[in-house]
Amino acid sequence: MTAPAPHGISGHVAGFVAALRSRGVPVGPSETVDAGQVLTVLDLLDREAVREGLACALLRRPTHRPTFDSLFDLWFPVTVGQRSAEAPELPRTPDGRVDLPALREQLAELLATPDGGNQLELLAAQVVEQLGRYQSARGPSFSAYQALKDLAPQTLLARALAGLALPPDASERDAEIAQRLLRMRIAGFRATVEEETNRRVAEQIGRERVATYGVARQAEDADFLRASERELADLRRGTHRLARILASRLAVRRKRSRRGEIDLRKTLRASMSTGGVPIDLVQRKPRPGRPDLVLLCDISGSVAGFSGFTLLLVSALREQFSRVRIFAFVDRTDEVTDYFGPQTGLDDVLTRIFTESTVIDSDGHSDYGQAFTSFADNFGDAVTSRTSLLVLGDGRTNYRNPKVDTLRGLVETAKHAHWLNPEPHNLWGTGDSAAPDYGAVIEMHECRSARQLTDVVSKLLPV
């Protein structure tokens, strides 16, 4: 059983805020104070009013709402223990086991019922209790997978659609709307089962532990190589917001860099009027002009999510540099700068890259050595003494010649050179990874998430 907060409702809210922060939701002291004030004017027995009040006080962006809701269900559960008093009993066979065919029929009928939301929630609680319970090493526990695997609600679409009883003259559009509605209800039922499972497990092992694996991550914290399609889509939608953050950080760095280094000779000469004490520091005027930026990016399937997001991010930062040139490769390099536009989506860009450019030469597997060679042969003049070179990729060469010397020549020519690697540092050098070899000639940085990428890029990009 979860222990009560040591300082009553205020301590409970403080723990809830700490959980939000641990999952990447920025909540400051002022928002925490607002949340406490909100609770003083709400009916604490009205759970949904408390949910909406705390959301208004604590959240800054709509993208934080899914994480908030998942943590709210753990910190402010709908009840404690089994909901047997209010939940309907599941249908059973004569020998006492749950009658799955009858249960599937019951679920299909509720899905087709417009006002069956509350009954679906109660049914989900019973499904977790009766089908999701299992015996673990620490005693009885619950599993959403076990509760849903035999019930398979995703296969009930046709049966629930028949229960809607659409009129014979219903149009195809009406049928599509009905199917979309039923899919949403099925997804909602599955989500309710998962929430109920998390609630029951949290009562046994603690909500803090359940929050570490049962609460959705912020898209900025998702691992590029393991991110879901939803997380990648959220990242792409947030590209311009992150670009604004990076632009502001670069502007601050650029403002500071305009002060220039101390001119020691002029400072000493000026100190003669103050008895040799250098009271006024004379600084050199920095050379004006913004640097060039060249991106050399692996767009093969293994790092597609990382590369695509980074390309969009840097493309949105074009105005911060005098010129940005973007090159993509799988086993051959080609320039794709013109494919990126202010309103161009990543899917359209990738389609053009793979249909119009020559990024694939032979078998379509990553070949960094050949990619670096083709870049040096065909676009070597893109890298000059005022160029910042940024390489994106995991450095996995499929056991082919990495051509380290070719990369070394490019690095020695460029003013700055950095490599962003989406793989964990402990995997560099394993299998076909040539990351240690490349890391010997270019500074390599781990960039596994958008948050980490933003921090690294804001420090690396020249001003």
Side-chain angles (χ1 to χ4, degrees):
M1 184 71 65
T2 302
H7 302 290
I9 188 65
S10 59
H12 194 71
V13 172
F16 177 57
V17 168
L20 287 171
R21 290 173 179 163
S22 67
R23 300 306 287 174
V25 179
V27 181
S30 61
E31 288 86 0
T32 306
V33 172
D34 291 343
Q37 292 177 338
V38 164
L39 293 181
T40 64
V41 298
L42 291 177
D43 180 3
L44 298 183
L45 297 180
D46 188 342
R47 183 168 176 266
E48 291 308 310
V50 172
R51 181 196 297 269
E52 297 304 322
L54 290 179
C56 292
L58 296 175
L59 300 185
R60 303 178 185 176
R61 295 200 297 268
T63 54
H64 296 153
R65 187 57 189 260
T67 302
F68 171 89
D69 285 335
S70 298
L71 289 172
F72 182 89
D73 291 333
L74 290 176
W75 260 257
F76 301 87
V78 65
T79 187
V80 177
Q82 184 179 351
R83 302 171 67 177
S84 56
E86 54 185 355
E89 185 63 31
L90 301 185
R92 296 188 177 274
T93 60
D95 60 357
R97 293 183 298 179
V98 175
D99 189 344
L100 283 174
L103 178 58
R104 285 168 55 83
E105 288 291 343
Q106 180 182 357
L107 176 57
E109 292 177 4
L110 288 176
L111 289 171
T113 304
D115 56 350
N118 184 55
Q119 289 298 314
L120 281 173
E121 183 178 344
L122 296 177
L123 181 64
Q126 281 296 82
V127 167
V128 172
E129 178 67 30
Q130 303 295 329
L131 299 180
R133 181 187 290 269
Y134 71 98
Q135 194 69 23
S136 69
R138 298 185 178 184
S141 189
F142 300 88
S143 166
Y145 169 76
Q146 183 168 308
L148 293 170
K149 69 174 183 178
D150 294 326
L151 187 58
Q154 69 275 8
T155 63
L156 297 177
L157 179 62
R159 197 173 304 180
L161 189 61
L164 284 177
L166 293 175
D169 58 345
S171 64
E172 292 185 2
R173 179 173 177 80
D174 293 335
E176 292 177 359
I177 294 175
Q179 289 185 15
R180 189 179 304 116
L181 176 63
L182 287 175
R183 288 193 179 95
M184 292 174 59
R185 290 181 182 174
I186 291 173
F189 177 78
R190 294 177 63 91
T192 303
V193 170
E194 293 174 356
E195 292 170 4
E196 180 70 12
T197 302
N198 288 339
R199 181 183 71 83
R200 299 301 302 276
V201 175
E203 292 175 355
Q204 296 178 339
I205 66 175
R207 51 181 171 252
E208 290 81 4
R209 289 187 58 187
V210 174
T212 60
Y213 66 84
V215 176
R217 301 165 296 183
Q218 292 299 302
E220 290 98 339
D221 296 318
D223 193 317
F224 283 122
L225 303 185
R226 297 176 178 83
S228 64
E229 288 297 326
R230 180 191 62 81
E231 290 171 330
L232 290 176
D234 290 342
L235 280 177
R236 294 168 187 171
R237 284 194 293 268
T239 298
H240 291 287
R241 179 181 61 83
L242 291 177
R244 290 194 298 270
I245 294 174
L246 277 176
S248 63
R249 293 183 182 180
L250 291 176
V252 171
R253 289 180 53 204
R254 186 173 291 117
K255 182 177 180 180
R256 292 174 179 174
S257 68
R258 286 173 182 167
R259 299 171 183 172
E261 298 178 353
I262 296 176
D263 190 324
L264 184 59
R265 184 177 63 85
K266 292 184 179 180
T267 299
L268 291 177
R269 290 190 62 182
S271 68
M272 295 176 64
S273 61
T274 56
V277 179
I279 296 178
D280 297 321
L281 300 180
V282 181
Q283 295 172 315
R284 295 190 178 96
K285 295 182 179 180
R287 297 180 180 179
R290 296 180 178 181
D292 295 342
L293 182 64
V294 170
L295 261 72
L296 188 54
C297 183
D298 179 7
I299 59 170
S300 61
S302 61
V303 292
F306 162 70
S307 301
F309 171 74
T310 310
L311 285 174
L312 286 179
L313 184 63
V314 175
S315 178
L317 286 171
R318 285 191 179 187
E319 66 275 10
Q320 300 295 322
F321 304 93
S322 62
R323 182 171 59 171
V324 176
R325 298 184 67 179
I326 303 174
F327 300 86
F329 69 88
V330 176
D331 58 357
R332 183 180 178 83
T333 303
D334 198 3
E335 184 167 8
V336 296
T337 307
D338 295 337
Y339 298 169
F340 289 85
Q343 304 299 328
T344 306
L346 180 61
D347 292 337
D348 296 334
V349 171
L350 292 178
T351 298
R352 289 192 61 188
I353 289 176
F354 284 108
T355 56
E356 300 178 21
S357 66
T358 56
V359 296
I360 300 177
D361 188 24
S362 54
D363 59 0
H365 292 88
S366 296
D367 187 342
Y368 280 74
Q370 181 172 325
F372 290 148
T373 300
S374 63
F375 175 77
D377 292 343
N378 300 319
F379 307 102
D381 57 349
V383 179
T384 67
S385 59
R386 64 188 307 268
T387 298
S388 292
L389 175 64
L390 207 60
V391 182
L392 313 178
D394 57 5
R396 294 197 172 271
T397 63
N398 288 297
Y399 299 102
R400 296 170 180 173
N401 188 345
K403 302 292 184 65
V404 176
D405 290 338
T406 304
L407 178 62
R408 180 183 289 109
L410 297 173
V411 173
E412 291 175 349
T413 302
K415 183 177 182 180
H416 306 285
H418 300 279
W419 186 310
L420 307 184
N421 192 328
E423 280 197 335
H425 192 280
N426 60 346
L427 295 182
W428 297 359
T430 62
D432 61 343
S433 172
D437 298 329
Y438 291 132
V441 301
I442 186 173
E443 189 174 355
M444 189 171 291
H445 307 268
E446 178 185 279
C447 290
R448 298 172 57 188
S449 67
R451 193 181 304 276
Q452 191 177 17
L453 174 68
T454 304
D455 292 339
V456 171
V457 170
S458 64
K459 297 174 183 176
L460 295 183
L461 287 182
V463 293

